[in-house]
Structure formats: structure tokens, C-alpha cells
Amino acid sequence: MKHRLSLFAILVAALILTLSFTACRKPSRTPSEIFSDAVSATLADRGANISEETPAPTNSQISLHYKPTADTGALLPTLGEIKLDGFINKNGTQSASLSLSFANQPLTLDTYMAGSQFALSCSVLGNTTYGVDLSTAKEDYLDSIFSEVGGAFDLTSVFGVNGEIFDQLTKATPDFSAYETILNEYLDLLLEAVEDTMDATVTETEAGQQLVFVLDTADLKTILQGVYDYAAKDTKLRDAVNKILTGMELGEMDDVLAQYDDFFASPEALNDLFTTLDNNPFTLTLTVDLNAEELITKADLTFEATINGEAGEIVLTLDMSQANKTVIAIRSGSLKEPEDAVSASITHEVLENTESSYKESLSVSYTKQSTSVNIELYTLSYNKSTHAFNLSTYLLGAVTQPLSLQGTYQATEENMTLALTTLVLPGELFEAPEAITMAIDLTFAVRTGDTIAAPAELPAYTDVFALTEAQIEAIANEVATDPLVGILAEMFTPTAPDDNWDENWDEDWEDDYRGGIEM
């Protein structure tokens, strides 16, 4: 049988165990290696995508489409249909297209970005495409009528007399990639120091294994001292710090480097830190339970410390002992008075997962002394055949009726479509005897693939800084005569006060308010 051990296998296993104990050999994997492998295996088992492969570049599109229904139209009578499409071409060109109707007036807006170029066209501007190239924007600005101090179109208060704003926009960010080797070197040094210093044990259990890692105050001091001693002699690190600070233009570089040298020449700051640690000792313990397949079932991270003479602890727990449930909990309190501990948890549970349906829930709980609060954040039901879903929540405070959002959801490797069709509002929120149902029509979609017509380059455009006075006046006239602009201007223009308006209302209110307090 597949699971039956032969006598030869038993003898070989016994021999290996005997040699391991008698020779005091280290296990083939350290506790840290076992833990690292268990994390990767658990993530894969829980459905997490941990692939490091970079997908081939392709075109992509993100769409949002709103259409008024009888219900939403009555609620938002001035807002008509809205379409928003964003595109990313595999060569890096980005574009977006917006069309909407407001108060029966249409509006269209198209934007494009590629490298240092940006362009847009808008129905309010006569649908002419205008743009700018940041790589030449400073020179173009200085040659334009916008840089004429005191001129009719003077924009020096925005861009600067000499185009200083463009120097900031085009300023190259420091390149930190050259220091990746040094960073990785110190990360490896730190991880190696932690692994060599902390206590780590592996214990066989009935269910599988238990890993225990312990790091305390003395361990941390040893680790910090080792890294400090190594860095004090590392000229490559000092050179890297010098180059990074120079690229950041912090000003007095000699002062900064002098502080760097002083830190390693006189370890007073490190000794002060050690004194603080001695006065506030701590112990950090990570306990990890693994099953027979070396998957993590439970992990407890316990931090015990004495701060200003008072001992306390914080315990963070990840419980995945049940295949359909994940619980993350935190508990904190004083070791002297454990009954005053405060705990909170968040629980994700898969309630159903069959060929035809799926259901999950997310809830939180909070406990302090005798007070306990449980809140259901949401419950999600999904029909795998019809792709219909129902998302309900009690977060709005409704006691007997949840707020529900219904629609359809479909996804493949290349496409995803989320359509919202119904919103159910708790009647209790509106003092209504029954829930209020509203029909909605809102669709969100993501598509990828070379067949998507994502613009590969910017359209021809008129450079903003090449505009003449006549062109600017023509644009201003387009904006002033656009019906939608007129509607919006009327909506947001404050009305004149009536004859009964009290200009000193705020002072009178303050006097009444203070008088009420004094009474």
C-alpha cells in the first residue's frame, strides 16, 4: 500500500535519527528555513499569488459606465449618462476619455500622456487638442507671452520669472539603484545576526511541528553592536551616504557627514540606547504551529516588556487552524492586572463553497472586561452559474435590515466586469417600515490584451506656450459661450442677500452663544 512503511524504510529512518542525535548534527533545515518554507506553502495553499514572473506587456483598459434609471434619475435629475475609459498602451502611452451629460448639456474630455508630453482636448475648449512637452517647457514658456512681466497674460507668479517651476518639475530624482548591493548586504547581515543570536527551537507535535523563536533585550544589543561595528569600518557605506545626501541637496554637507563620522567615532548614542533598553527590558516570542504538510495553522507573536517599571504584554495571533476560517486577533494589557486586558479580532470565514455557489463573511469583535461587541462588516453571496452576487452590511447602524448591494461579477485572466444593478437601503434609516429598493446601472470593467485599441502615441496638438493673443481670446470666447459653463456658473454664483439679511449675524450669534454659556 502507498501509506504502508516497509521494514527497510523503518530501519533506515531509525538509523538516520540515531546518527543525528549521537553526532549532534544540525537538522537539514534550520528553524528559520522551516518557517520560511511554511510561509510560502501557506500562502500558496490559501490562494495567494506569489509568482515572481513579470507578465508580458500588453494593452489595458479600465471603464466606468453610469446610466440613469428611474430611481437614480429622480435622485440626481441633472446628471445624465457618464462614460469614462482609461487606456494604457504596452509602450507606456496613457490616455483617458470622459463623456457625460449634465442638465442635458454634453461634456467631453480626452487626455493623453507619453513620456514628457501631456495633451488634452475638451468640448468646452472647442475640441481642439492642446499640449505641452515638459522637456522643452521652460524654453517654450520663456519665449511665450506668458513670461512677459506686466503683460496682459503674465503668468510669472505661477511659473516664475525665469521658469523656476519647470526646474523643479524636470529635476531628476536621485538614483538609488546603485546602492541596492549595499542595502542587500546590510539586510543579509542583519538577518544573519538575528538568526545567530535568537533562540530557535523545533518541537515535534501530534499535529506536526511547533517552531519557537525568542529575542530579548540582550539579543538585540548584541545584534545592534555587531551591525554598528561592521558599519563603522565600512568605507563603501560612508561613500554611499555621501552620494545620496549630495543628490538630495540637503545643504551643509560637511555638517551632515561630520555627524555621521561622530556617530561611529564615539558610540555615546548607541550606549544611551543600550541604557534605555536595560531600563525597559523586553522579550519577543514567535510561536508557530505547523501541520503534517508544514502549513501554518496558528502563529502567536508575544511582546512582553517593562516600561517605566510596569510590566505588560501585547499578543498578536493569526489562527488558520480551520480551513474555512482565518482569525487575526490582538490582545494587550498589564501582566499585573490581566483582567483589564483589551482584545480585538477580525474574522474571515468561507461559509459555503460548492460548484454552484460561494458565500463568505467578515466580522470584527472587541472585548474589554465584561463588555463585548461583535459587528458583521459584510456578507458576500455569489452564484457561480449566473454570476449574481449580493453584498450586505450592517455598518450603517441598521439593526434588523442590512444595506445590500446586488449585481453581477465575471472574471477571466484577461477581463473583469462588475455590474451594480440594485441598492437596498434599510428602511430604519429613513423611518420607513420596509427596506427601500433602488435600481441602479453602474458598470466597472477591466480588460487586457493586444486587441484593445489603446492609443500608441499622442495626437497632434497645439503647444500651450505657442498660443498667440488672438488664440487665447478665441479660447476664452469658447468657454464663455458654452451652455454648460453658463449653467455651472449660475449654480455656483452666490445670490444677493435679501432685504432682511443681517450682516452682523455672526457677531450676534456669538454674543447669544456666550450669553447662554454664562447663564
Side-chain angles (χ1 to χ4, degrees):
M1 294 291 290
K2 185 168 87 171
H3 298 291
R4 182 179 297 169
L5 291 175
S6 65
L7 179 61
F8 176 77
I10 295 175
L11 291 175
V12 170
L15 178 61
I16 292 175
L17 289 174
T18 301
L19 290 175
S20 299
F21 284 110
T22 56
C24 296
R25 292 177 56 188
K26 291 184 178 181
S28 59
R29 292 183 298 162
T30 65
S32 297
E33 290 171 337
I34 295 175
F35 176 62
S36 178
D37 293 343
V39 170
S40 299
T42 304
L43 288 173
D45 181 69
R46 291 278 170 160
N49 183 10
I50 55 176
S51 173
E52 297 182 357
E53 296 183 3
T54 302
T58 184
N59 296 345
S60 59
Q61 176 184 4
I62 299 177
S63 301
L64 182 67
H65 189 189
Y66 163 79
K67 290 195 298 184
T69 65
D71 295 328
T72 57
L75 189 64
L76 303 170
T78 58
L79 187 61
E81 186 174 1
I82 301 176
K83 287 184 179 181
L84 175 62
D85 290 295
F87 298 92
I88 299 178
N89 190 281
K90 59 184 177 182
N91 69 1
T93 301
Q94 303 178 40
S95 61
S97 176
L98 170 68
S99 66
L100 61 83
S101 173
F102 187 84
N104 295 321
Q105 297 297 327
L107 171 69
T108 60
L109 174 66
D110 297 298
T111 62
Y112 308 87
M113 287 183 64
S116 61
Q117 295 179 301
F118 173 79
L120 67 83
S121 65
C122 181
S123 56
V124 175
L125 302 177
N127 287 318
T128 300
T129 303
Y130 300 96
V132 65
D133 188 339
L134 286 179
S135 64
T136 60
K138 181 177 180 179
E139 292 77 12
D140 297 337
Y141 161 73
L142 293 176
D143 292 335
S144 72
I145 61 177
F146 301 110
S147 64
E148 297 176 1
V149 178
F153 304 99
D154 179 5
L155 291 180
T156 55
S157 61
V158 178
F159 299 109
V161 175
N162 298 308
E164 292 84 357
I165 188 67
F166 299 104
D167 294 332
Q168 298 298 321
L169 293 175
T170 58
K171 179 181 176 181
T173 57
D175 182 12
F176 297 117
S177 60
Y179 312 113
E180 185 177 352
T181 302
I182 296 178
L183 177 61
N184 290 333
E185 177 184 345
Y186 276 86
L187 287 176
D188 291 340
L189 175 67
L190 182 62
L191 292 175
E192 183 178 348
V194 171
E195 187 170 0
D196 292 341
T197 306
M198 70 178 179
D199 293 329
T201 59
V202 181
T203 304
E204 299 294 328
T205 64
E206 292 184 4
Q209 294 175 309
Q210 185 178 77
L211 312 178
V212 179
F213 305 91
V214 181
L215 185 75
D216 59 17
T217 306
D219 296 331
L220 181 58
K221 290 170 59 177
T222 300
I223 293 168
L224 293 177
Q225 187 68 61
V227 174
Y228 177 87
D229 294 340
Y230 185 88
K233 303 174 183 178
D234 190 357
T235 57
K236 300 191 304 297
L237 178 62
R238 189 185 187 280
D239 292 341
V241 171
N242 185 16
K243 291 180 180 178
I244 292 174
L245 295 177
T246 301
M248 297 174 66
E249 298 182 0
L250 294 180
E252 298 294 334
M253 295 304 307
D254 292 339
D255 293 343
V256 177
L257 288 177
Q259 295 176 15
Y260 175 91
D261 293 334
D262 290 342
F263 176 74
F264 288 107
S266 178
E268 293 181 2
L270 188 64
N271 291 334
D272 290 342
L273 175 60
F274 286 172
T275 300
T276 302
L277 290 174
D278 290 335
N279 294 333
N280 302 277
F282 76 91
T283 301
L284 185 67
T285 305
L286 174 62
T287 304
V288 183
D289 294 331
L290 309 180
N291 61 16
E293 289 77 29
E294 290 195 356
L295 300 178
I296 298 175
T297 57
K298 188 178 181 182
D300 289 310
L301 182 62
T302 303
F303 178 75
E304 295 183 0
T306 300
I307 308 297
N308 297 327
E310 183 176 348
E313 70 171 2
I314 299 175
V315 181
L316 182 64
T317 299
L318 172 64
D319 190 345
M320 298 185 293
S321 56
Q322 300 182 48
N324 63 333
K325 181 184 293 188
T326 300
V327 180
I328 299 176
I330 185 171
R331 177 174 57 84
S332 65
S334 169
L335 295 179
K336 184 178 179 180
E337 299 175 344
E339 66 276 4
D340 292 334
V342 176
S343 63
S345 66
I346 181 168
T347 302
H348 174 267
E349 184 174 6
V350 178
L351 304 172
E352 182 181 356
N353 190 9
T354 64
E355 292 184 1
S356 60
S357 61
Y358 175 84
K359 186 176 183 180
E360 69 175 28
S361 67
L362 187 69
S363 60
V364 296
S365 65
Y366 172 84
T367 301
K368 182 177 182 180
Q369 294 180 345
S370 59
T371 302
S372 182
V373 178
N374 295 284
I375 302 175
E376 181 183 289
L377 296 181
Y378 75 80
T379 298
L380 173 65
S381 302
Y382 181 67
N383 188 307
K384 298 180 181 180
S385 300
T386 64
H387 307 291
F389 74 86
N390 180 68
L391 179 67
S392 61
T393 177
Y394 285 90
L395 275 181
L396 292 182
V399 178
T400 60
Q401 300 172 336
L403 181 147
S404 298
L405 190 61
Q406 301 169 9
T408 59
Y409 172 80
Q410 298 184 62
T412 64
E413 290 186 1
E414 294 187 342
N415 303 316
M416 185 279 290
T417 302
L418 173 66
L420 306 181
T421 59
T422 307
L423 177 65
V424 182
L425 299 172
E428 294 166 281
L429 296 181
F430 305 94
E431 298 182 356
E434 297 180 353
I436 301 173
T437 302
M438 294 181 58
I440 57 178
D441 192 339
L442 182 63
T443 303
F444 176 73
V446 177
R447 299 193 299 132
T448 59
D450 292 337
T451 58
I452 295 174
E457 58 185 19
L458 269 66
Y461 62 83
T462 299
D463 194 300
V464 171
F465 293 121
L467 292 173
T468 64
E469 183 174 345
Q471 289 175 311
I472 296 174
E473 292 177 350
I475 294 173
N477 184 62
E478 287 278 0
V479 174
T481 57
D482 188 272
L484 181 57
V485 174
I487 293 173
L488 294 176
E490 184 177 348
M491 288 180 59
F492 294 101
T493 299
T495 58
D498 56 29
D499 296 336
N500 296 322
W501 175 258
D502 182 4
E503 295 182 353
N504 300 317
W505 70 270
D506 53 342
E507 298 178 4
D508 296 341
W509 178 87
E510 184 177 358
D511 292 341
D512 294 341
Y513 175 73
R514 294 187 181 278
I517 292 179
E518 293 173 357
M519 292 176 62

